[in-house]
Each structure stands twice: as structure tokens, then as C-alpha cells.
């Protein structure tokens, strides 16, 4: 069973940048894809971005397109989320999650493995 460990969260001013990392403990394969999901206080979990291990196809929520970039390093079993031009509304706990390829990437219900989350706080 894949275990996911996030890191890289923190406190940043609006307009700043952060890079999140997620290391998968078990060997990944082409049947899996990875995603970043976030949850702001008092709100439901929200899809942010997703990437497929094998061919690197990416998906983004409209709210982060052009500002966030998801990438992966297959040799390190690591997925990254580069977040630029951060806004206060990006403040949330960010979760790394895994899903089978072929499942709708934009639905949080597609993800069946989750990390513990990392806090991102953006001040205005």
C-alpha cells in the first residue's frame, strides 16, 4: 500500500511562492496518478492539480491555472506542486493523494490514498 508524505508548507506573503513535495513510499506504476487536494477552514476539500506517473499528463483547477505547476520525478517517487503568485484564498491544508489512472481527476472522491497534509498560509 502506498504511503504519502507531504512537506514544504509554510507561511508566505501574498505574491510569494512555495513548493510542496510528496514522497510515495511504495513503488509507483503507470496505473496510478497523483494529485494535490486542499481544504480551507470551514470548506470542503477542493481539487487543485493532478499528474499521471507514466506520461505526465496534467490537470488543474481553474483557480490555480497559470500560477501552480505540478510535476513528478519518477526516479524519486516524488510529486511536486510549485505555487507562484500565491493569494490569501490559497490558504489551506494541502493533501497529496493517489488515484487510479482513468478515473476522473477533478473529483476528490477519485482519490483513495491520502497523505497527512501540510499547511499553507498566505497573508495579505
Amino acid at each position: 500500500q502506498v504511503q504519502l508524505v507531504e512537506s514544504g508548507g509554510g507561511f508566505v506573503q501574498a505574491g510569494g511562492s512555495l513548493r510542496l513535495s510528496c514522497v510515495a513510499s511504495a513503488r509507483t506504476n503507470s496505473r496510478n496518478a497523483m494529485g494535490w487536494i486542499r481544504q480551507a477552514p470551514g470548506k470542503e476539500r477542493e481539487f487543485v492539480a493532478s499528474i499521471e506517473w507514466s506520461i505526465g499528463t496534467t490537470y488543474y483547477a481553474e483557480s490555480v491555472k497559470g500560477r501552480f505547476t505540478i510535476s513528478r520525478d519518477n526516479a524519486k517517487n516524488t510529486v511536486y506542486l510549485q505555487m507562484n503568485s500565491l493569494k490569501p484564498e490559497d490558504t489551506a491544508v494541502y493533501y497529496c493523494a493517489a488515484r487510479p489512472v482513468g478515473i476522473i481527476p477533478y473529483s476528490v472522491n477519485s482519490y483513495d490514498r491520502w497523505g497527512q497534509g501540510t499547511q499553507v498560509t498566505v497573508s495579505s
Side-chain angles (χ1 to χ4, degrees):
Q1 182 172 342
V2 175
Q3 291 185 328
L4 308 173
V5 180
E6 305 98 330
S7 62
F11 183 93
V12 65
Q13 290 188 331
S17 299
L18 283 174
R19 189 177 81 155
L20 305 183
S21 299
C22 172
V23 179
S25 63
R27 182 172 180 172
T28 56
N29 58 61
S30 61
R31 296 180 62 237
N32 293 329
M34 301 296 292
W36 288 96
I37 311 295
R38 67 186 181 186
Q39 187 168 24
K43 295 188 177 181
E44 295 185 348
R45 290 187 177 185
E46 173 190 31
F47 168 80
V48 176
S50 181
I51 189 167
E52 297 181 0
W53 282 113
S54 58
I55 58 177
T57 303
T58 58
Y59 308 85
Y60 293 96
E62 286 296 326
S63 59
V64 306
K65 274 184 180 179
R67 300 189 299 122
F68 291 11
T69 302
I70 190 170
S71 61
R72 92 282 192 217
D73 185 332
N74 291 44
K76 296 181 179 179
N77 281 354
T78 301
V79 174
Y80 305 97
L81 185 68
Q82 178 66 43
M83 304 185 294
N84 298 330
S85 302
L86 282 161
K87 305 175 181 180
E89 50 264 44
D90 294 318
T91 295
V93 176
Y94 283 71
Y95 297 91
C96 176
R99 63 172 173 85
V101 171
I103 303 300
I104 298 174
Y106 303 102
S107 171
V108 297
N109 295 324
S110 297
Y111 298 84
D112 55 8
R113 298 286 186 269
W114 294 80
Q116 82 287 352
T118 185
Q119 177 70 47
V120 171
T121 302
V122 185
S123 66
S124 57

